[in-house]
Amino acid sequence: MSAFKSFVRICPLKATLSHTRFHLSLRTIDPPVVYHRLLLFRMNKPEGIDAESIGNGVAGPSWKAPELYCMEETCPHLGAPLSHAEIEDIEDTKAIVCPWHQYDFDLKDGSSSTGLQACTYDVQVRGAEDDAEVWIEAPHASSDASTREWELVEMRGVSEEFLDPPMPSLSRLSLAADNDFTSRSNFSSDPAELPEDLPTSLLGFAHLILRTSNPELKCLLTREAVTRLRAGKLKSIRPTVGEIKRERERDGGLLDEPPREVEPIAPGRTPRRGKGGSEKSRILMLHALANIEQYAIDLAWDIIARFADFQINGERLPVAFFLDWAKVAEDEAKHYTLLARRLVELGSFFGAHSVHAGLWESATQTAHSLSARISIIHLVAEARGIDMNPLTLAKLQAAGDKESSRVLEIIHADEITHVTTGHRWFSWLCDKRGVDPIETFRAEVFANFRGKIKGPFNAADRLKAGLTPDFYEDLAGGLGLNTDRGNEPAPGGKVDPKALAVAEGDEHIHPRLT
């Protein structure tokens, strides 16, 4: 590696005072797109200043930057997630201890008593007091890293367990629900309980959760699976071929559609939700979103179960793939929990109104292809969500519904990271195949989606997730069109507008709550 180091600006120092640990996702600015994920650790607070005073220009002359460390997000041994690992003082050095096999790694240089070496990154605090900024050494895992320019695309705190200081407003509203998921998801008089005999693998949990009809139990199982994953209590994350075969031969194997306690109806038969001016209208909005989140939990587990044996050029999916979608499932379970609780606070409950299964129809349509699944579910449907959420949020805010607004703000921030996850793995697939991501995406949309990709587009948040306008502008799906009658797409996924006039469009994948 070259002695020259380049650095990437991460954030103002004051932004690190909310948590003691942060997930960082960096991305190359120029194609081919490469993602890299790191963890940032803050061991103490700036001296001579406190969390309340920073940002107000009152720091004194004794100001001293905090102790910050940065390293890879996963263990170099078998890819265990290090976000929740313990930090110990070992021979006057701070070391992180992998939860799976207790390997220790010095946070400063990555050395280990086992002889393994973790990749760490220099952290600089540039400036002082109110103007201080955090910069991190650019990734150097790839051979051309020294010539690549990187940007930060995501910085998120590592759960409520690492909040510093605690945030009473979020705790009171149960908005994060990241470290107390079980107690906060029990809304009924007969709460869901975890079964005694639980799976010992991530794949086993995926199949069990997909077979579970009770959404509260689905959330509990999701939280339990991710908790055991982080603690190293699962026997496998990336399943063996034998394990995949056994799970698919048990209890119906891969499901065509997960069971539901609320029978879905056709998308076009759901009631009009209004514009959010009345409480009834807002309840219908939140109910529709809770239904989407319920299906989103299953979609995250289904991509793990359905594509567990996927190979590309003879290479299986890496452990990071399974870790990423388990985290997405955890987020979606949190979102459902927040929405279901808010419905109860408004005097309703999930299941009080009709729902549709349009999102799962798209999952069925893309069950044959990982590329198609990511394209339609995560780069079309979830991207549609980040378009619509701010518009819905404006309706809630105009109605003075602060509690529902805060819920939707949390959901929206997470959804951007989910589209980023989809973009990351779609880019990975395209890189492995040696194909252009934008051309491939537009072809997948034409083959597996019905109707025009409609605006308005939240271009700023789409860009945060990696979706430049070339991905989605002037784009339509040709699913169901009669290609024998001249409706083949023009270059770039364009189709005859007259042909689209009879196409279904995309209302069935995400509620248009405006």
Side-chain angles (χ1 to χ4, degrees), residues 94-319:
K94 288 183 172 62
I96 192 165
V97 181
C98 175
W100 288 7
H101 300 99
Q102 285 69 57
Y103 289 2
D104 62 282
F105 298 96
D106 189 315
L107 279 173
K108 188 173 184 179
D109 62 16
S111 60
S112 172
S113 61
T114 65
L116 287 175
Q117 180 72 38
C119 197
T120 59
Y121 296 82
D122 287 347
V123 183
Q124 295 180 352
V125 176
R126 299 182 181 179
E129 302 179 355
D130 203 35
D131 297 323
E133 293 183 338
V134 178
W135 291 67
I136 288 177
E137 181 184 355
H140 44 69
S142 58
S143 59
D144 64 343
S146 60
T147 63
R148 304 297 299 271
E149 188 175 355
W150 297 80
E151 63 179 345
L152 178 74
V153 295
E154 178 189 348
M155 175 179 174
R156 72 191 294 190
V158 178
S159 83
E160 293 298 286
E161 296 167 67
F162 302 100
L163 264 179
D164 184 21
M167 299 175 66
S169 61
L170 293 187
S171 176
R172 177 177 60 81
L173 291 169
S174 302
L175 293 184
D178 213 290
N179 65 330
D180 191 17
F181 212 103
T182 301
S183 64
R184 294 176 183 175
S185 60
N186 297 335
F187 304 127
S188 66
S189 58
D190 186 19
E193 295 183 0
L194 288 172
E196 293 184 3
D197 187 19
L198 289 173
T200 59
S201 69
L202 189 68
L203 183 64
F205 266 105
H207 280 272
L208 173 61
I209 293 166
L210 287 165
R211 293 193 301 267
T212 299
S213 61
N214 184 310
E216 292 177 18
L217 181 55
K218 195 182 293 288
C219 291
L220 296 181
L221 288 167
T222 295
R223 176 56 184 160
E224 185 68 18
V226 178
T227 298
R228 294 188 180 200
L229 179 157
R230 289 173 177 150
K233 294 181 179 179
L234 295 180
K235 291 182 178 179
S236 73
I237 306 302
R238 183 175 69 174
T240 64
V241 174
E243 182 185 351
I244 296 169
K245 184 175 185 294
R246 288 192 297 272
E247 288 294 340
R248 291 185 178 179
E249 293 174 348
R250 178 185 305 166
D251 298 324
L254 287 170
L255 301 179
D256 292 332
E257 184 171 354
R260 286 289 178 264
E261 294 192 342
V262 181
E263 188 69 24
I265 63 175
R269 294 181 56 198
T270 53
R272 296 181 65 85
R273 304 180 187 95
K275 298 183 179 180
S278 67
E279 185 175 272
K280 178 181 178 181
S281 175
R282 294 194 297 278
I283 287 173
L284 289 172
M285 286 181 173
L286 297 176
H287 194 277
L289 291 173
N291 179 53
I292 292 295
E293 299 297 347
Q294 179 187 210
Y295 275 105
I297 300 168
D298 285 330
L299 287 167
W301 288 115
D302 187 74
I303 202 171
I304 287 173
R306 191 167 302 278
F307 299 100
D309 56 352
F310 177 86
Q311 293 189 23
I312 184 167
N313 300 330
E315 178 183 348
R316 292 195 61 199
L317 291 165
V319 171

Side-chain angles (χ1 to χ4, degrees), residues 320-396:
F321 177 89
F322 298 92
L323 296 177
D324 273 3
W325 295 110
K327 174 57 181 170
V328 170
E330 182 187 35
D331 286 347
E332 307 293 16
K334 177 179 70 175
H335 299 168
Y336 173 84
T337 300
L338 299 178
L339 290 163
R341 172 174 289 278
R342 184 61 187 143
L343 286 171
V344 171
E345 291 172 347
L346 291 171
S348 186
F349 60 93
F350 183 71
H353 303 281
S354 58
V355 298
H356 68 77
L359 190 59
W360 193 262
E361 292 174 13
S362 291
T364 301
Q365 175 63 32
T366 57
H368 66 287
S369 163
L370 179 57
S371 177
R373 168 63 63 86
I374 294 176
S375 294
I376 304 306
I377 297 300
H378 302 288
L379 301 185
V380 171
E382 282 205 286
R384 170 70 176 276
I386 63 176
D387 293 336
M388 293 293 104
N389 285 337
L391 303 179
T392 305
L393 179 59
K395 301 286 185 183
L396 297 174

